[in-house]
Amino acid sequence: IGQWERLYEDDVGQKYLEVLQIDEDGTYVKHGSGGFNDRGQYSVRGDSIDFVSGLQERYSRKTDAHFSGDDQMQLVIQPFGLKEDWVRSERLPNYALQKTDFGSLPAKLPDLMKAVYAGTAQMWQPDAVPTVMEIEEVQDGFYELALRFYSPSRDEVLIFQITPYQTSTLIADGSRAVQSPLAATFLDLPDLLEAAFQDSPLGPLKRARIVTYDNFGPVWTGNFAGRQGFQFSANTGEIIQGDITGYIADYEADWAKASELWRNIIEQFSAKPEEDLYSPPIIFFSPDACKQAGHEWQYGHCNN
C-alpha cells in the first residue's frame, strides 16, 4: 500500500520513470513514460499481486512480490520472469487533481501557471508572458498540460509540457503564435465545469484551452467525450454563446463586400447599350457546321 517508483534504462540508454500508487480500496494507478499509463484493480494472494487493468487487458499482469524491508519491492512478472525493482516514493505530482463528475481533472491551474512563469519562463526570458494553457487527454483519464509563454524581444514561444511526474520544454517560432497575455488570475476549470454541468452525462473531459480574446478577455474553451463543447469567461464564469474568435464576423463582412462588388459589376454591365455589349464569337468545330452557318472552312478552322 502506498506510492512506489522505479527508474530504468532501455538498451540505448534512454531513462524512464514510472510511479505506482497502490490504495487500500483495491485500486491502483500507474504513471509511465511515453504515455504508458494504467489504472485498475489489484488482488493479493499470498506473495502474489495480480493487477487487472481497467484500460486494456494487455496491461494486466500476474506478479510475484518480494520485499526487502518496508521500502523496496521487486515484482516478478509471470510467466516471463521479468523483474521490476521498485522503491518507496515521496515524489509529489507536478499538478493537483480534483475529482469531478468528469473524472479526476488537473486543478489549481492559476497557481500552476504562476509557478511555471516564475520558475521557468522568467529564467528563459525576462519579458516572457503567459499566453496559453492547454489540457489534453492523452489516455483514458490521464492528462498532459502545455503552458505557452511568449517573448516579444525574441519573437519566440516557450512551450512547457507537463505530465503528473515529468516535464519537458520546447522553443518555437512566435511569429504566428498567440501573443496576448493571460490575466494574472483566472477561474479554475474544474470548478467551472462542476458548477455548469453538475450531474450531466457528458463523459470525461477530452481537451480544454484558455486564451485571451479581444472582446471577451480570458476564455476557457473545450469539449467532452460526447463532443459537447463549452465556452466560459475565465473572469466571471459566465457561459459565452456564439463565436468568440471574430472569424465568423470577419467572414460575413468579407462576403458582404465581395457581393457588393459583384452587384456593382452587374449593374454597370446591364446599363450599357445593347450594341456596346461584348458578344463572344461562336466557334464551329466541324466543316459541316461551319458551312451550314454560311461560313467557309479553311485550314482546319471556320472563317466566320
Side-chain angles (χ1 to χ4, degrees), residues 20-39:
L20 175 64
Q21 178 67 42
I22 302 177
D23 292 327
E24 293 183 357
D25 63 359
T27 64
Y28 72 92
V29 178
K30 185 171 77 169
H31 299 274
S33 300
F36 181 76
N37 306 296
D38 189 26
R39 65 160 52 87

Side-chain angles (χ1 to χ4, degrees), residues 93-208:
N94 292 322
Y95 57 78
L97 289 173
Q98 180 174 324
K99 290 186 177 181
T100 71
D101 291 339
F102 322 105
S104 293
L105 300 182
K108 298 184 178 179
L109 300 176
D111 293 338
L112 176 63
M113 179 65 88
K114 291 176 184 176
V116 177
Y117 171 67
T120 301
Q122 286 288 285
M123 295 179 64
W124 169 60
Q125 287 297 321
D127 67 340
V129 293
T131 57
V132 181
M133 176 182 287
E134 297 168 320
I135 303 171
E136 187 83 17
E137 186 185 42
V138 294
Q139 201 173 351
D140 295 346
F142 292 92
Y143 293 92
E144 180 177 296
L145 281 63
L147 283 58
R148 299 174 185 264
F149 303 86
Y150 175 70
S151 168
S153 64
R154 296 180 62 92
D155 195 22
E156 291 181 340
V157 175
L158 170 68
I159 305 173
F160 191 81
Q161 296 173 304
I162 311 175
T163 66
Y165 292 98
Q166 298 183 55
T167 63
S168 62
T169 57
L170 173 68
I171 306 297
D173 176 63
S175 60
R176 303 181 68 177
V178 175
Q179 300 178 4
S180 300
L182 288 173
T185 59
F186 52 86
L187 295 176
D188 207 10
L189 181 63
D191 295 335
L192 288 176
L193 298 181
E194 285 279 78
F197 302 115
Q198 191 171 17
D199 299 326
S200 299
L202 298 175
L205 178 71
K206 298 301 292 183
R207 60 187 57 84

Side-chain angles (χ1 to χ4, degrees), residues 30-53:
K30 185 171 77 169
H31 299 274
S33 300
F36 181 76
N37 306 296
D38 189 26
R39 65 160 52 87
Q41 306 282 329
Y42 73 92
S43 60
V44 179
R45 297 178 294 103
D47 293 332
S48 299
I49 304 178
D50 295 342
F51 297 92
V52 180
S53 174

Side-chain angles (χ1 to χ4, degrees), residues 266-278:
I266 292 172
E267 290 174 0
Q268 293 173 9
F269 185 80
S270 302
K272 288 185 177 182
E274 185 175 349
E275 61 270 15
D276 293 339
L277 296 179
Y278 170 72

Side-chain angles (χ1 to χ4, degrees), residues 235-260:
N235 285 333
T236 66
E238 178 184 2
I239 296 177
I240 301 175
Q241 303 290 346
D243 178 41
I244 61 176
T245 64
Y247 171 80
I248 294 178
D250 291 343
Y251 173 83
E252 290 177 344
D254 291 342
W255 185 89
K257 184 177 180 180
S259 297
E260 182 64 25

Side-chain angles (χ1 to χ4, degrees), residues 81-93:
L82 299 176
K83 297 178 180 179
E84 296 180 349
D85 293 317
W86 298 81
V87 296
R88 287 281 184 187
S89 174
E90 296 182 357
R91 189 184 298 267
L92 297 176

Side-chain angles (χ1 to χ4, degrees), residues 1-15:
I1 305 299
Q3 181 170 289
W4 302 82
E5 69 176 63
R6 77 181 187 111
L7 289 166
Y8 64 97
E9 293 185 8
D10 60 16
D11 295 337
V12 297
Q14 179 69 43
K15 295 183 178 180

